[in-house]
Amino acid sequence: MHRHLSSLCAALLLLCVAPILHAHERPSVALTVDVSHVGKDKWLVDYRFQSAVTSITLPSVGEYRQKAWKLLTPGLRLKTAADNDVISRDGKPFKAVSVEITTFDGLAPKAYAPFNRFTDGGTAMFLGLLQGEAHKGQHAFAMSTDVRLKGLAGENVIAPPLNKLTRGGERGYAYFGPAQAVSIGNTKFLLDPQTPAWSRETMLDVGAKMSQYYEKAYQRPLKDELFIMLSVAGYEAPGISIKGDAVMGQLSYRFDGKELLGDHPKKRELLTRLVAHEMAHLWQLNIERGGVGEDDPWIHEGGAEAMALDGLLNTGLLSQEKIAAYRKAQTATCEKLGNSVATYDGIYACGLVRFDKLGVAIVPLWRSMIEATEAKGEVYSQQMIDAIVGAKTGTQVSAQK
């Protein structure tokens, strides 16, 4: 989903954080997944389950698996559909699956990029797309996965952070290539060698200031080292595309387009908001249990918008006028959508509007939400917001309005 800035012929992709299912909510099945880089654009992925399953269900990502996956295990079939892709053998149990995957450059709306290429020949692979649900007959199980990575000869391999909320749960992007990550303080950076100077400066400045602000405002440092990865797809396409993802202690950015090459205040503002938004997700997930659920994505996306604007104002990264202008634009978008959060744009725009109307500042509100989700293990929800707002204001207010 692109958001256009007509003055720059620009587009911004915000695919920020996926809902996370926690291990304590359902039973799991243990398995290992060996990911081997076997050729320039070839990957071998071997699933090994501790006990037999009858199918694997993976959330679909456009045409990714249809075009890039080839099952090597005899008898197994991959059936792709609009919502889920299923690996099965006509109901017969199996314990192992081998898949050959071709590097895939396509993007699907509201989904993590399967691969991000670096201009030095490196490649980042999103491991989360290898995981889903395993089934034994009619019973579904979470995949508690031990991922093992192997690169080409002489290739450097950098694993993403572990999933601290769900042991064996979704992981971020693994890097295979010539580059080495650089640690600055409690943050590890892997930046494409052709990262434009203006964006490098913006990311480092915003990242440092927002990290310090979020830590103080929400009264907790990040539990683990942050891993920031930025790749440049190229400068051939018209306009500018900046795609950002946040997943379990990692921020991943993908840049593309001719307009990246020139500095401009609007581009710095665009990236500043994106970095602040993605970092807000990390603090939403900076907990031991609970967090983001499957329902009501407007809560974590609208919440991240509100958290980011608050932080940008209080750090001086954006002026009050620019923040007011952005809020006005998002309010106008929400009104055009009939104040609905049923669409992709509505999740962000109307999500922000809903938080703005609650009458409680975002910092004390989300700080209380962090405490509530961690204390009870319940995911962030409208009911949680309503209870906290009611306790703080002494009135009954619904976040849905």
Side-chain angles (χ1 to χ4, degrees), residues 55-334:
S55 66
I56 303 172
T57 300
L58 307 166
S60 63
V61 187
E63 297 180 312
Y64 165 52
R65 296 192 186 90
Q66 179 181 345
K67 291 188 173 182
W69 282 41
K70 178 183 178 182
L71 291 189
L72 303 180
T73 305
L76 287 174
R77 295 183 303 131
L78 172 63
K79 183 178 181 181
T80 60
D83 296 324
N84 294 303
D85 299 332
V86 179
I87 296 173
S88 67
R89 186 161 55 188
D90 297 325
K92 298 178 182 178
F94 58 90
K95 293 181 69 174
V97 183
S98 291
V99 186
E100 182 183 88
I101 301 177
T102 303
T103 305
F104 185 79
D105 295 317
L107 294 174
K110 297 184 284 186
Y112 291 100
F115 293 91
N116 289 325
R117 295 182 189 266
F118 288 68
T119 58
D120 60 5
T123 306
M125 180 187 201
F126 183 57
L127 302 180
L129 296 183
L130 303 177
Q131 293 178 250
E133 285 186 338
H135 293 259
K136 297 182 179 183
Q138 299 298 316
H139 301 286
F141 297 82
M143 293 169 62
S144 182
T145 307
D146 177 17
V147 180
R148 303 183 297 198
L149 308 172
K150 182 180 180 181
L152 295 170
E155 191 170 52
N156 186 37
V157 179
I158 304 175
L162 293 172
N163 188 323
K164 295 301 180 65
L165 284 181
T166 305
R167 185 186 178 100
E170 183 180 78
R171 302 281 296 280
Y173 286 88
Y175 171 81
F176 300 79
Q180 298 282 345
V182 176
S183 291
I184 303 176
N186 200 37
T187 302
K188 182 164 63 178
F189 292 90
L190 182 66
L191 303 183
D192 194 293
Q194 291 193 27
T195 301
W198 70 266
S199 61
R200 184 187 299 266
E201 294 169 4
T202 301
M203 288 188 67
L204 294 176
D205 183 42
V206 177
K209 290 178 180 177
M210 290 304 300
S211 179
Q212 185 178 33
Y213 177 77
Y214 284 147
E215 180 176 328
K216 181 179 179 181
Y218 297 100
Q219 298 179 354
R220 55 178 62 202
L222 285 179
K223 298 181 182 298
D224 301 291
E225 181 182 57
L226 172 62
F227 184 18
I228 296 178
M229 179 185 293
L230 187 152
S231 65
V232 176
Y235 297 118
E236 294 77 26
I240 177 175
S241 175
I242 302 176
K243 180 178 181 297
D245 296 309
V247 55
M248 306 315 300
Q250 185 184 61
L251 297 179
S252 177
Y253 299 93
R254 172 171 165 170
F255 286 8
D256 189 16
K258 293 180 180 179
E259 292 288 345
L260 283 166
L261 292 172
D263 195 355
H264 194 285
K266 283 191 175 294
K267 286 191 282 189
R268 287 186 180 250
E269 179 182 344
L270 180 80
L271 184 56
T272 294
R273 289 202 313 268
L274 176 59
V275 172
H277 178 111
E278 299 297 342
M279 293 189 73
H281 285 311
L282 297 180
W283 261 265
Q284 291 175 348
L285 295 171
N286 191 29
I287 47 183
E288 295 294 339
R289 60 178 185 160
V292 175
E294 285 190 296
D295 301 324
D296 296 328
W298 69 265
I299 293 176
H300 56 265
E301 297 299 0
E305 287 281 85
M307 292 166 72
L309 294 182
D310 164 76
L312 292 171
L313 177 63
N314 282 287
T315 56
L317 284 165
L318 288 184
S319 67
Q320 188 169 358
E321 291 73 21
K322 288 182 177 179
I323 289 174
Y326 182 73
R327 270 199 161 92
K328 183 178 179 180
Q330 292 294 80
T331 299
T333 296
C334 183

Side-chain angles (χ1 to χ4, degrees), residues 344-384:
Y344 182 70
D345 283 346
I347 289 169
Y348 295 88
C350 297
L352 172 62
V353 169
R354 288 185 178 188
F355 277 98
D356 286 345
K357 289 182 176 180
L358 288 175
V360 176
I362 190 63
V363 169
L365 172 59
W366 208 281
R367 196 161 58 207
S368 295
M369 290 171 65
I370 289 173
E371 294 170 356
T373 194
E374 199 162 50
K376 300 179 180 180
E378 298 174 357
V379 298
Y380 300 126
S381 66
Q382 179 188 321
Q383 291 74 22
M384 180 185 292

